[in-house]
Amino acid sequence: MLDNLKTETRNQRSTDLDQLSTLSVLELMQEEDAKVSLAIWEKLPEIERVTKCVIESFKQGGRLIYTGAGTSGRMGILDAVECVPTFGTDPDMVQGVIAGGDEAIRMAVEGAEDSVEQGMKDLEKLNLSDKDIVLGVAASGRTPYVIGGLQYAAGVGAATASLACNKDAEISNYAEYPIEIITGPEVLTGSTRLKAGTAQKMVLNMISTAAMIGIGKTYSNFMVDVQPTNEKLVVRAKSMIREITGCDYETASRYYELSRHQVKVAVIMLLAGLDYEEAQRKLQEADGFIRRALQQK
């Protein structure tokens, strides 16, 4: 029953919400939002387990698939889409699936989340394998669409994880690696785009970013696989080459071109004194890790 879910109950601190001043509303929301990070901190071991599973999946050529409905589905899609420009990943590597399809990204599709069968069918279209991991996201922790997706994933041997914002969530029963972030009642009753949505965004950020670090998509704290698709990112790419190698900006710009716009390759070319082909080969042998490539004889 929804009445038993903390995300659906009334927040006793906001019962006079419509009588508060604008500043008081904002202060109350800020106080409630501050609880989210603490709730996540308590669940770091569970988040770590999921992240390690994602890393292993990526190493085997597998994919991370988020599935959800409404706000939860949109959070998965947002995280998936951002992986492409940030880490230079193939769009298939991290994907978001939402109940109701692409239309539901911009507009609510009523009833879409209530079908277990559709949750199964939408994942069936992705040709899942035992190399993949499916992460079901649902603030309530009971969304039938998500349960269907997790059931289908388990049936084909894919790893399964879940992210809910209620204790003893139903979707946890269908996941090998459940995460439950207890965010409590919302300032606006039942509006899980607030604290629950914030928690989901933070956790998905953590999982995907830490997983990308785990497969060599970063060097130090630089996003060295960034796709320089606009002027700002071209400047960022050249600046990374300059900062990592200690060269001047003119040299960084030249090696940016020589490396065919690949920051990693440019760094190895400069620091190891190699031409493009040799640097590219060393990087491949090092599984994409710059440090490993530089340590090779």
Side-chain angles (χ1 to χ4, degrees), residues 30-157:
Q30 184 69 2
E31 289 170 2
E32 288 294 307
D33 286 344
K35 299 175 182 178
V36 174
S37 184
L38 295 176
I40 291 173
W41 187 268
E42 295 176 359
K43 301 295 181 175
L44 286 183
E46 289 88 338
I47 298 170
E48 179 193 26
R49 283 193 285 272
V50 173
T51 304
K52 286 183 173 180
C53 187
V54 173
I55 292 172
E56 287 307 308
S57 177
F58 286 164
K59 287 181 177 178
Q60 297 175 47
R63 301 166 295 172
L64 167 60
I65 311 295
Y66 298 127
T67 182
T71 298
S72 300
R74 295 183 192 102
M75 288 299 174
I77 289 172
L78 176 61
D79 194 69
V81 169
E82 291 293 340
C83 285
V84 177
T86 305
F87 300 109
T89 59
D90 185 286
D92 290 338
M93 187 173 174
V94 183
Q95 298 183 48
V97 179
I98 187 170
D102 287 351
E103 180 186 351
I105 298 173
R106 298 172 180 80
M107 186 177 299
V109 177
E110 300 301 333
E113 67 177 58
D114 296 330
S115 174
V116 171
E117 293 75 17
Q118 194 59 51
M120 292 181 169
K121 289 179 181 178
D122 286 352
L123 287 195
E124 185 177 6
K125 297 174 185 175
L126 301 181
N127 297 315
L128 290 181
S129 76
D130 57 5
K131 296 179 180 179
D132 299 321
I133 175 171
V134 172
L135 200 171
V137 187
S140 67
R142 59 173 293 282
T143 307
Y145 179 88
V146 174
I147 290 173
L150 290 172
Q151 286 179 317
Y152 178 79
V156 300

Side-chain angles (χ1 to χ4, degrees), residues 11 13-14 17 20-37 183 185-189 191-196 198:
N11 189 323
R13 300 188 66 217
S14 62
L17 188 65
L20 297 178
S21 68
T22 299
L23 179 58
S24 294
V25 169
L26 298 177
E27 289 174 340
L28 177 57
M29 291 182 70
Q30 184 69 2
E31 289 170 2
E32 288 294 307
D33 286 344
K35 299 175 182 178
V36 174
S37 184
T183 51
E186 300 286 3
V187 167
L188 184 63
T189 306
S191 183
T192 51
R193 68 188 182 87
L194 301 177
K195 286 191 298 183
T198 298

